[in-house]
Amino acid sequence: MNRIAVIDGQGASIGSAIIKKIKQAYGDGVDVWALGTNAIATTQMMKAGANRGATGESAVCHCVQQVDVVIGSISILVSNSLMGELTPSMAHAIGSSKAPKLLLPITQEHVVIVGTTFEPLPHLIDRLINEHLPPLL
């Protein structure tokens, strides 16, 4: 069974929306891991239907080495993003993971992603689930 890590912080609104869509599309055919930078984020993603959940730096650094796909916003590769919740060690571990990374071009950081077009978050999540995830599973 494919293991998918969804990483989010703060209130996990993006991570929760992604998990709901993954579960709608794939049901029990995938094992979704909610990796939260804080306990509230993990709890919200578990409520959205994740199979497993873990919280914090050690959990994120450990789990991203064990999954088949990593999903989140581009911010998960930026040290001290998510208002400081995503540590440099987390960003390094995520970036170093051999798992393919499906990243949404959404950030509150001082990062501009050149070459992307603005689309509402629900459209981006649909494209992630319907176009980019199937070839990886």
Side-chain angles (χ1 to χ4, degrees), residues 13 16 18 33 41-42 53 76 92 101 107 128:
S13 60
S16 295
I18 291 168
W33 295 12
T42 304
I76 66 173
H92 177 74
K101 292 141 202 76
T107 181
L128 184 148

Side-chain angles (χ1 to χ4, degrees), residues 49-83:
N51 300 92
R52 300 176 75 186
T55 302
E57 180 177 85
S58 181
V60 170
C61 292
H62 175 75
C63 291
V64 295
Q65 306 308 321
Q66 299 181 37
V67 296
D68 301 305
V69 180
V70 174
I71 297 176
S73 73
I74 192 82
S75 294
I76 66 173
L77 295 179
V78 178
S79 294
N80 300 310
S81 63
L82 305 176
M83 297 183 70

Side-chain angles (χ1 to χ4, degrees), residues 115-126:
T116 59
T117 57
F118 174 77
E119 288 188 60
L121 179 61
H123 296 179
L124 292 172
I125 293 173
D126 286 343

Side-chain angles (χ1 to χ4, degrees), residues 28-47:
D28 293 330
V30 294
D31 191 23
V32 179
W33 295 12
L35 302 181
T37 60
N38 65 65
I40 293 171
T42 304
T43 299
Q44 291 304 110
M45 291 189 286
M46 291 299 295
K47 287 180 183 178

Side-chain angles (χ1 to χ4, degrees), residues 75 86 91 94:
S75 294
L86 197 116
I94 294 163

